[in-house]
Amino acid sequence: AMVVGPPGTGKSIFASSFPTPGYVFDLSKGIITYRGLDFDYDQFPISPEGWVLFERKFLEEKKRVEAGELATVILDDTTGWMDIAMERALQLDPKRSATGGPIWNVHYMMVRNLLEGKMRQLINFNCNLVIIAHMDVVKDEDTGAVLEVRPMLTGQLSVRAPGYFNEVYYTSTRKTGDTISWLIQTVPIGFKNARSRLSGKARLLPDFIPNSYQDLVKHLKIKKATQKTI
């Protein structure tokens, strides 16, 4: 699953409810959410060395998945992932813009290629996989009108990456009286292009579910148990 949403809407809480033992690529220093649960983790400095460490840990965790030692792998989150990939790109290519920063058609393209290559490998992990992304709201510069809502990723990867995943969920909160509910959106509504291949045309999942793995599985089991075949 790719889980997309603004800060504070329960993305990491949802990921932390998945089966364990698990591993977290903690790229934004948010591991406190997983405290007390059976998750190993590593943190990565925003530097070229951070990307090298990520690649090394990637290979180590891939071996653990292949050995059946991990039920879930989580990448939390793509914003921090882009930061360390950019540091690696700036190290690999010494060119700079007129202001001394990255060049769009050089360094950002390198970042996209670094992330896309690793993402394609991650989706082949034989375990639960959750990639967490902040939500990017694209607006018209003149009118302020919202044009689209998408995962915060570099360039066309924000459009292409969701297609790699069976599940694309958007997180949100809802307040009823004094009660706040944290929810997962499973269908496209408005600008949020959530979808669920598990739910399919039969709509096995409600449009919104509580943000936990247990509720996700419960709804699937209840719906499947009541379906009849011909």
Side-chain angles (χ1 to χ4, degrees), residues 40-79:
D40 297 332
Y41 72 96
D42 286 285
Q43 296 177 323
F44 305 85
I46 301 176
S47 67
E49 292 73 26
W51 183 263
V52 174
L53 175 61
F54 174 84
E55 289 191 318
R56 187 168 77 243
K57 291 298 180 180
F58 178 91
L59 292 174
E60 291 176 4
E61 302 314 311
K62 182 174 182 287
K63 290 179 181 177
R64 293 178 68 194
V65 169
E66 290 169 350
E69 298 174 7
L70 294 175
T72 299
V73 170
I74 299 166
L75 190 147
D76 192 350
D77 57 46
T78 59
T79 303

Side-chain angles (χ1 to χ4, degrees), residues 89-212:
L90 290 168
Q91 180 192 48
L92 292 172
D93 194 312
K95 299 185 187 73
R96 296 293 185 270
S97 68
T99 58
I103 301 172
W104 176 256
N105 63 349
V106 176
H107 299 104
Y108 285 95
M109 288 294 289
M110 291 174 68
V111 168
R112 191 198 75 180
N113 291 337
L114 286 170
L115 298 189
E116 189 167 23
K118 280 289 177 284
M119 197 175 290
R120 286 179 176 274
Q121 295 176 60
L122 278 167
I123 61 175
N124 288 317
F125 277 21
N126 189 25
C127 66
N128 296 300
L129 172 69
V130 182
I131 291 186
I132 294 173
H134 288 120
M135 191 171 74
D136 186 18
V137 180
V138 181
K139 296 183 179 181
D140 184 286
E141 293 183 2
D142 296 324
T143 66
V146 175
L147 300 177
E148 62 176 316
V149 171
R150 60 192 184 190
M152 190 173 288
L153 284 162
T154 300
Q156 287 299 309
L157 194 56
S158 64
V159 178
R160 292 164 56 177
Y164 299 155
F165 295 85
N166 288 330
E167 308 298 293
V168 180
Y169 301 143
Y170 277 75
T171 56
S172 62
T173 59
R174 181 184 297 164
K175 187 172 184 180
T176 306
D178 295 329
T179 303
I180 297 178
S181 302
W182 279 262
L183 301 169
I184 295 291
Q185 180 180 319
T186 66
V187 294
I189 299 174
F191 291 99
K192 297 179 180 178
N193 291 317
R195 61 155 167 57
S196 171
R197 288 174 181 156
L198 286 174
S199 187
K201 290 183 178 180
R203 300 286 293 276
L204 299 179
L205 293 174
D207 294 354
F208 293 89
I209 59 172
N211 70 334
S212 76

